[in-house]
Every structure is written in C-alpha cells, then in structure tokens.
C-alpha cells in the first residue's frame, strides 16, 4: 500500500494527512503495535515505523532514548519488518524510517523485497541523499516502493530540485535546522521551504520537526499536505506510568492532532 | 591517478567515502569543500599555515635515527617525531589548518569531538590561538577517565560538554557534535579530529596532516640519499597514518603498513580493528569498514589506547586496503605495551600508546625485511597522558624475563 491513496483521500475530504511515528520495539514489540493501532484508530493516516539505530545523528534526546531502549531489549531488523506488516494489516500505509547502515547491512535489494513483502509503502531515509542512493533508487523501482528523501531550509535551489525529483510518495520538508524533538513554537522556515518545494514538484509535501499538538498541526496544515509527528508520540509513551496509560495518551494526542489537520489555520 | 583525482573531487575513494548525512548539512559541506579547495591553492593561506606550523607548532618534526631501538629490532629505524610538536601529537597540524580555514570562512564558533581528549585539547589550543569560540563534545565515560584533559581544555577557554547517550564514548561524542552542527551550521565549523566523516573531511584532514610524509620523504632523501623501504603508522580513525602515507603512495618501492588496535585479539571480538575485523558499511557520514553486528548496529570497540578506540576507519584507508597499496594488520594491547616499554628503555622516549602500536608493527617488518632495511615509524604522539594506563598495565603484566 503506497501513500498516494492516503493523500488523495485527505484531499477529497478537504483536510491534511497526519503522519505518526514510533520506533519499532518501543516500549516493547507488542506495546509499539498496540500504540500504533490506537493512533490509527484515533486518526493517524500514515505510519512511520522507525528502525532503531545505534547512532541516530538526526534525532534529539526523546527519540534517542526510545531507540536505545528498544535496542537494549533486543529489537532486530526483522522485528521492524514485522511491525510494518502489523501496521499494513491495520489498513494504513506504513513507511519505514531508517538510517542507512542497517539497510546497507541487510542488503538494499533484499530489504526492499522484504519490506514490499510485508506490505510496506516505502522508506524515509534521513541520512541518505539521492547522490548516494543508486542502489536504493533501483531497488525501490523494482519493488514499487515510495522513497521519501528530506529537504532542508539550507538546501540550495538546484539541490532541492534534484532531491525532489528523486522522491516518490511525498517530500519530507525538515522545517528547521536541527534534530527531532518537540518545540514550543513551530518554525517559520517551514512555510518558506514548502513554498520552494511546490515550485518544483506536484508531489505532496509533509512537514516534520517540532510539531507536538493540535494547534501546531493546524498551523502547519495551513501550508503543508502532511503533518509529521514523532517525538511527541514517543514522549507520551516515555512519560506514561503504565503501558496502557501510554497507549491511551498516544491515542489522545493522535485525536488532538487529527482535529488539527482538519482545521488548517 | 586522474581517476583517483576525479573521485576525490566528488568525495569517493573507489566505493568508499561519500556523504551519508542529513540533507541539512549538505550546503555546509559544499561550502567547506569549495572554500577548502580555494584556500589550499591560495599561496597566502598556505604560507600562513606553514608559518603557524613552523613558528607555533614546532614543525617540521625531526626524523630521528633511533640507534638503540634499531639494534633491538634488527633494522635501521627512523622515528618521525610528531611527539615533539606543540600539544604533543600530529593533531596540531589538522587543528591549525581547520581553525585557519574557519577564520577564512568567517565563522566565529568551532565544535569538536574528542575521545581521550587529545583532539579536544588540540582544538582548544588552536581556537585560543586564533580567537575562536570552542565547544568540545566528550563522552561522559571519557570525561571521567580523562579528567586531566578536561581541565586542560577548560584552561584553554573551551567549553566541554559531557555526552550521556549511547555508549558515552567517542562515537557518541561525534553524534552529538553532528547534531550541534545541524542546528548551528550558519555560525559554526565542525573541526573533525580525524580523516573520516563526510566529504570533504577525509581529503581535507589528509592534506592538513600530509606534511608528516612530505617532510619525512625529504628528510629521508637528505639524510640517507634514498627513500625508506617501509613506513609504519598506527591506525584508529587514521589521520596520522594517512598523513604518514600520503606522499609515499606514488613511491612503489616504499612499502606502507598500518597497524590497527587489536585489543585482546581480533578473534576475541574485543578490539578496534575495523579493517581486519569489521565489514563495509556506513558510519558518521562515510562508507568504510566498521565494527557492526549482523543488523548493522555499531559494535563498541576496545583498545588499551583511547586514541585508537573507534569502531570505524577513514574511507581512504578502506580504499588503500582494497587496492593492496597499504598492508593493514592488528597489533594487540600486549604487543603494543611490549613495544611501549622497549621504546622507553632503548631511547628514553615515552610514546603515546597509540604510537606504540606502530613500533610493535615495525618489529614485525624488521623481521621480514632484515638488517639492511630502512623503516620510518611515525611516533604520532608523546605518552605523558598514558602514565597511569601504562603503570596499571605493567602492574598486571610483570616482565617475563624479556629485557629490552
């Protein structure tokens, strides 16, 4: 299942797409799947399943802590693929968000084949730029997977055009210069970046980094096609007293964000 | 070589190197690449860099004929005395080059990572000298093990930030520096401490430390009227080694040897020998050899030498290994400490434990090449910092009848 349907459905309904992220195996394998199911039920349209990695340079402290815990509990790449499969069975597109070495180690084509076999939609690759991605471009074509590369406020126009041309599914606009994490205020740089992306593509544009509540989702939904939320979901699970309370809190957050993407500001 | 030059331009050494970093950093890497190449071909920049090395850092370092060590090893051994540089290691060359470039780019702030603290101290030194703000990321574990270097950095005016994530060591300090850089890239240069990381760092750092081999080659010709038969250096991230090899790479008659940290022995899994005991992957922005598990998660390295205790290696070394131009072998903690004691006793020189790995390697090369061979060994740093580690080691490993 690719992400295009989710964007088309949202467009038909006059709203934005809500993308929710959790690292696989956090707080446990089953706990992650349960939280994702609750998030989907509460309005998450597309799920990003994070592949926990030992050296996550694009992530702030919240996601780092979750990934560390997941790895310490023994999460393997195959568990990530199982999580993707579980999400696909919920009837929403599941993308895998992963640093490049685990994919390189698994074998790029083999990973693509197994991801497609699990019903996955594609990959979001925070440390892979299209310039280094020949084998992934070929594998994603072969297995009909979406490939979401990131653009940043610092991307020069020419690079932006090249990167966007390599994307399929949507374009991930990192709205500010920095790592993942919740922030008090969303960034004004996001709006300008999305405008620059729209000049060079008709693909939907998702905005991530810093969104943590419905009001911010509405604000970002005012200019982006998708609102991407990661750290805020992870934080609800980190802060919860019990696993069940975590699932409830994640669902409440999803509902708040889902109302945000339905009232773009 | 024209192919190699073209590859280097795009940041690849064969299949190695490249840029595996968040898009947010690409503009800064592009700027650095352009500015660096402009500076390196600018006589004004080169002249100022040379002046700083000469007047401030005590370079060129001597190529010293180690006669008693030679007698013990059974070959003619010349030590490239980088231990005599200001701050006590080859690292001053790299930090002066990058700090000068930072000034040229008009950035007021420098960040650096450090493991044992040597690169942190060198960075703090260069930043004090050139009036730059300096923030050093250091694993929490390492700030405890290397408290002396933490206070040296603070004396020099740097801010030291302990890193409490991951394994709390060098690799995590690099991760944290990269996170800072993504956030503050407009005002900040990341002064990476070794010939690794995304392009252009591996080529740029190699050029800044390349003076080691440029000098050693000329000194060898002046002193002996010939080139050496072999050059030996230790390899962690690989900056002193790439600097030691660079000018000799085209000299086919000169054999090049890199010695990785074998820790307890590569077979035990407790080592830092990325080429010998690792596999190809991506870490800290480059494709290279690294220590990783079946799933591509980075595996922690082990070495008695903090400066070699890093789970990857610069991408040009990966390439020089694959092409066969350089021979890479592991040296265990025990072999290195044996060589450490040998150099202390024969020459009155206390080497950095890092550099002792190269001495241990030279011992093997001497055995292979025989008494007429001339071997240049890079003594990359001095061992004052290693007094405690060495005392502890020798207390647990009494001399077994072997006298230097």
């Amino acid at each position: 299942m690719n992400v295009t349907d989710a964007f088309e459905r949202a467009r038909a309904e006059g709203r934005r797409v809500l993308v929710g992220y959790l690292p696989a195996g956090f707080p446990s394998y089953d706990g992650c799947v349960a939280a994702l199911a609750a998030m989907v039920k509460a309005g998450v349209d597309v799920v990003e399943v994070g592949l926990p990695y030992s050296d996550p340079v694009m992530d702030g402290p919240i996601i780092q802590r979750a990934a560390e815990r997941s790895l310490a509990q023994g999460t393997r790449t195959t568990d990530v693929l199982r999580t993707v499969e579980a999400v696909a069975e919920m009837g929403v597109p599941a993308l895998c968000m992963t640093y490049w070495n685990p994919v390189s180690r698994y074998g790029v084509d083999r990973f693509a084949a197994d991801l497609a076999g699990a019903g996955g939609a594609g990959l979001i690759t925070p440390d892979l730029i299209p310039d280094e991605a020949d084998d992934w471009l070929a594998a994603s074509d072969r297995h009909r997977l979406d490939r979401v590369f990131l653009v940043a406020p610092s991307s020069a126009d020419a690079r932006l055009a090249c990167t966007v041309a390599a994307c399929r599914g949507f374009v991930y606009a990192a709205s500010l210069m920095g790592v993942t994490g919740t922030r008090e205020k969303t960034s004004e740089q996001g709006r300008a970046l999305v405008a620059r992306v729209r000049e060079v593509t008709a693909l939907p544009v998702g905005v991530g980094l810093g969104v943590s509540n419905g009001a911010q989702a509405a604000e970002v939904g005012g200019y982006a096609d998708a609102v991407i939320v990661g750290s805020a979901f992870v934080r609800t699970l980190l802060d919860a007293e019990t696993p069940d309370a975590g699932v409830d809190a994640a669902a409440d957050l999803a509902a708040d964000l889902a109302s945000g993407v339905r009232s773009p500001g | 070589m024209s192919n190699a030059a073209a590859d280097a331009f795009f940041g690849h050494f064969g299949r190695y190197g490249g840029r595996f970093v968040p898009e947010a950093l690409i503009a800064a890497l592009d700027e650095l690449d352009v500015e660096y190449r402009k500076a390196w071909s600018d006589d004004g920049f080169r002249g100022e860099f040379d002046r700083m090395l000469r007047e401030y850092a005590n370079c060129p370092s001597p190529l010293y004929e180690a006669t008693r060590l030679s007698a013990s090893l059974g070959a003619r051994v010349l030590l490239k005395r980088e231990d005599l540089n200001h701050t006590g290691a080859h690292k001053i060359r790299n930090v002066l080059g990058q700090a000068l470039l930072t000034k040229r780019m008009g950035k007021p702030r420098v960040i650096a990572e450090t493991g044992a603290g040597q690169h942190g101290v060198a960075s703090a030194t260069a930043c004090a000298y050139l009036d730059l703000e300096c923030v050093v990321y250091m694993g929490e574990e390492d700030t405890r093990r290397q408290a002396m270097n933490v206070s040296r950095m603070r004396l020099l005016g740097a801010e030291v930030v302990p890193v409490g994530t991951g394994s709390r060591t060098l690799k995590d300090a690099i991760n944290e520096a990269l996170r800072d850089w993504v956030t503050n890239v407009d005002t900040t240069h990341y002064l990476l401490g070794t010939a690794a990381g995304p392009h252009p760092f591996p080529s740029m750092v190699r050029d800044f430390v390349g003076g080691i081999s440029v000098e050693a080659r000329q000194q060898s010709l002046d002193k002996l009227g010939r080139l050496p038969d072999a050059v030996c250096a230790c390899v962690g991230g690989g900056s002193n080694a790439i600097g030691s090899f660079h000018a000799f790479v085209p000299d086919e008659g000169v054999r090049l040897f890199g010695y990785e940290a074998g820790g307890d022995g590569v077979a035990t899994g407790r080592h830092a020998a990325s080429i010998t005991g690792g596999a190809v992957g991506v870490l800290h922005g480059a494709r290279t050899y690294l220590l990783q598990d079946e799933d591509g998660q980075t595996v922690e390295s082990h070495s008695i030498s903090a400066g070699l205790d890093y789970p990857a290696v610069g991408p040009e070394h990966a390439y020089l290994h694959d092409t066969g131009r350089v021979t890479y072998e592991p040296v265990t903690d025990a072999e290195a400490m044996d060589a450490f004691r040998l150099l202390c006793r024969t020459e009155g020189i206390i080497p950095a434990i890092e550099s002792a790995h190269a001495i241990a390697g030279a011992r093997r090369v001497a055995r292979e090449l025989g008494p007429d061979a001339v071997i240049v060994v890079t003594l990359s740093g001095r061992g004052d910092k290693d007094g405690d580690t060495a005392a502890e080691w020798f207390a647990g490993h009494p001399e077994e009848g072997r006298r230097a």
Side-chain angles (χ1 to χ4, degrees):
Chain A
M1 198 185 317
N2 294 77
V3 298
T4 307
D5 293 346
F7 280 97
E8 277 173 7
R9 194 174 329 123
R11 195 169 299 150
E13 293 172 16
R15 63 180 180 84
R16 308 308 193 182
V17 165
L18 176 60
V19 181
Y21 164 98
L22 283 182
F26 171 80
S28 62
Y29 175 80
D30 290 336
C32 177
V33 173
L36 289 172
M39 286 158 57
V40 167
K41 205 171 154 208
V44 166
D45 301 296
V46 173
V47 168
E48 269 182 41
V49 176
L51 194 158
Y53 175 53
S54 53
D55 295 274
V57 297
M58 185 69 195
D59 284 307
I62 296 173
I63 292 178
Q64 282 177 50
R65 217 173 340 138
E68 265 181 47
R69 255 173 66 181
S70 174
L71 288 174
Q73 289 163 186
T75 299
R76 303 285 312 264
T77 299
T78 47
D79 298 320
V80 178
L81 292 168
R82 280 200 298 142
T83 307
V84 166
E85 192 163 14
V87 172
E89 282 167 6
M90 296 170 200
V92 292
L95 292 152
C96 180
M97 171 115 173
T98 180
Y99 291 90
W100 197 240
N101 198 50
V103 178
S104 164
R105 183 67 163 163
Y106 195 93
V108 176
D109 194 69
R110 180 175 160 235
F111 191 93
D114 288 359
L115 182 66
L123 287 184
I124 302 175
T125 50
D127 66 346
L128 183 71
I129 56 174
D131 320 52
E132 302 283 356
D134 284 354
D135 41 6
W136 165 234
L137 296 181
S140 53
D141 282 345
R142 201 170 305 126
H143 301 284
R144 297 161 188 246
L145 292 167
D146 288 332
R147 47 182 189 237
V148 180
F149 294 103
L150 277 66
V151 294
S154 60
S155 305
D157 287 341
R159 269 204 72 75
L160 194 78
C162 285
T163 303
V164 163
C167 287
R168 186 160 56 215
F170 70 99
V171 178
Y172 191 128
S175 62
L176 50 82
M177 297 298 286
V179 295
T180 58
T182 59
R183 287 172 174 82
E184 299 278 307
K185 284 170 65 181
T186 53
S187 157
E188 269 311 299
Q189 288 178 301
R191 188 186 300 272
L193 178 58
V194 170
R196 289 172 61 212
V197 173
R198 292 206 193 283
E199 280 174 26
V200 289
T201 185
L203 279 176
V205 188
V207 166
L209 299 193
V211 178
S212 63
N213 59 47
Q216 289 177 339
E219 190 191 325
V220 170
Y223 57 85
D225 302 299
V227 179
I228 306 169
V229 180
S231 298
F233 280 118
V234 173
R235 199 176 53 186
T236 59
L237 300 186
L238 279 171
D239 290 350
E241 306 255 316
T242 65
D244 285 349
V247 170
D248 291 345
D252 289 348
L253 175 61
D256 181 31
L257 293 163
S259 72
V261 298
R262 281 164 177 77
S263 51
Chain B
M1 284 319 277
S2 63
N3 266 346
D7 281 348
F9 182 79
F10 294 108
H12 293 97
F13 305 93
R15 62 190 287 221
Y16 301 105
R19 285 176 177 173
F20 294 82
V21 291
E23 168 66 24
L25 289 178
I26 298 296
L29 291 168
D30 279 342
E31 179 199 6
L32 183 60
D33 188 22
V34 168
E35 289 303 317
Y36 160 64
R37 280 187 286 116
K38 266 197 238 162
W40 199 240
S41 57
D42 171 2
D43 290 343
F45 181 89
R46 294 288 289 269
E48 180 60 6
F49 181 48
D50 285 346
R51 186 199 63 75
M52 287 174 7
L53 285 173
R54 201 172 55 243
E55 294 179 6
Y56 182 70
N58 205 26
C59 293
S61 62
L63 187 68
Y64 161 78
E65 175 123 29
T67 48
R68 292 197 63 226
L69 178 68
S70 297
S72 172
L73 296 188
R76 191 170 177 188
V77 176
L78 297 142
L79 300 177
K80 182 61 175 160
R81 296 290 306 273
E82 291 292 298
D83 60 317
L84 298 177
N85 297 350
H86 181 44
T87 71
H90 71 285
K91 288 181 179 293
I92 192 72
R93 298 178 186 262
N94 175 39
V95 295
L96 286 178
Q98 287 197 53
L100 186 61
L101 188 59
T102 305
K103 289 298 266 193
R104 185 180 161 109
M105 291 189 295
K107 294 189 172 183
R109 179 172 178 265
V110 162
I111 55 173
E113 84 294 342
T114 198
Q118 296 304 105
H119 174 60
V121 170
S123 299
T125 301
C127 288
Y129 180 59
L130 288 174
D131 189 22
L132 292 159
E133 183 190 344
C134 182
V135 176
V136 180
Y137 289 97
M138 186 170 187
E140 223 167 44
E141 197 62 36
D142 291 330
T143 58
R144 272 195 293 274
R145 289 192 291 198
Q146 308 285 342
M148 170 71 94
N149 274 340
V150 174
S151 67
R152 287 170 78 195
M153 286 182 262
R154 289 184 175 143
L155 284 174
L156 291 160
E159 181 191 348
V160 179
V161 181
V163 177
T165 52
S167 59
R168 298 169 176 76
T169 58
L170 175 59
K171 82 174 178 66
D172 308 285
I174 295 177
N175 294 340
E176 205 55 33
L178 284 166
R179 292 182 189 115
D180 178 315
W181 204 29
V182 168
T183 310
N184 300 302
V185 67
D186 280 349
T187 59
T188 300
H189 174 65
Y190 179 14
L191 207 173
L192 187 63
T194 191
H199 177 67
F201 283 105
S203 314
M204 179 178 74
V205 173
R206 175 201 64 209
D207 289 345
F208 286 144
V209 296
I212 302 172
S213 54
V214 171
E215 292 164 17
R217 195 175 182 282
Q218 190 57 49
Q219 287 164 327
S220 188
L221 290 171
D222 292 347
K223 197 184 269 283
L224 313 172
R226 55 170 287 206
L227 294 174
D229 298 296
V231 175
C232 299
C234 63
V235 182
S239 68
N240 98 80
I242 206 70
S244 301
F245 298 157
H246 186 50
F248 289 110
V249 167
D251 298 319
E252 284 172 19
V254 180
R255 295 179 62 185
L256 305 174
F257 295 91
Y259 295 99
E260 300 191 287
D264 293 342
V266 171
T268 67
R270 289 177 52 81
H271 62 86
S274 313
I275 292 176
T276 315
V280 175
V282 170
L283 182 66
H284 293 147
R287 188 186 301 283
T288 185
Y289 284 93
L290 60 119
L291 305 182
Q292 54 183 321
D293 69 12
E294 271 177 83
D295 281 356
Q297 307 287 346
T298 310
V299 169
E300 271 179 59
S301 54
H302 294 275
S303 170
I304 190 170
S305 150
L308 303 181
D309 201 354
Y310 177 62
V313 65
E316 191 167 4
H317 287 294
Y319 175 72
L320 291 169
H321 165 73
D322 281 13
T323 61
R325 178 64 187 94
V326 179
T327 302
Y328 295 88
E329 293 177 1
V331 162
T332 63
D333 288 353
E335 290 173 288
M337 294 312 292
D338 239 27
F340 177 95
R341 178 159 51 200
L342 179 67
L343 189 68
C344 290
R345 302 281 172 87
T346 54
E347 297 290 343
I349 296 171
I350 301 176
I353 297 176
E354 290 79 2
S355 318
H357 287 69
I359 306 283
R363 178 181 243 162
R364 291 183 203 157
V365 175
R367 233 174 269 142
E368 186 190 333
L369 300 184
D372 295 332
V374 173
I375 305 172
V376 167
V377 182
T378 298
L379 200 62
S380 55
R382 68 178 183 225
D384 310 39
K385 67 187 176 61
D386 293 322
D388 290 347
T389 309
E392 203 177 305
W393 172 272
F394 291 123
H397 301 76
E399 269 177 288
E400 290 150 10
R402 187 197 329 227
R403 290 289 305 176

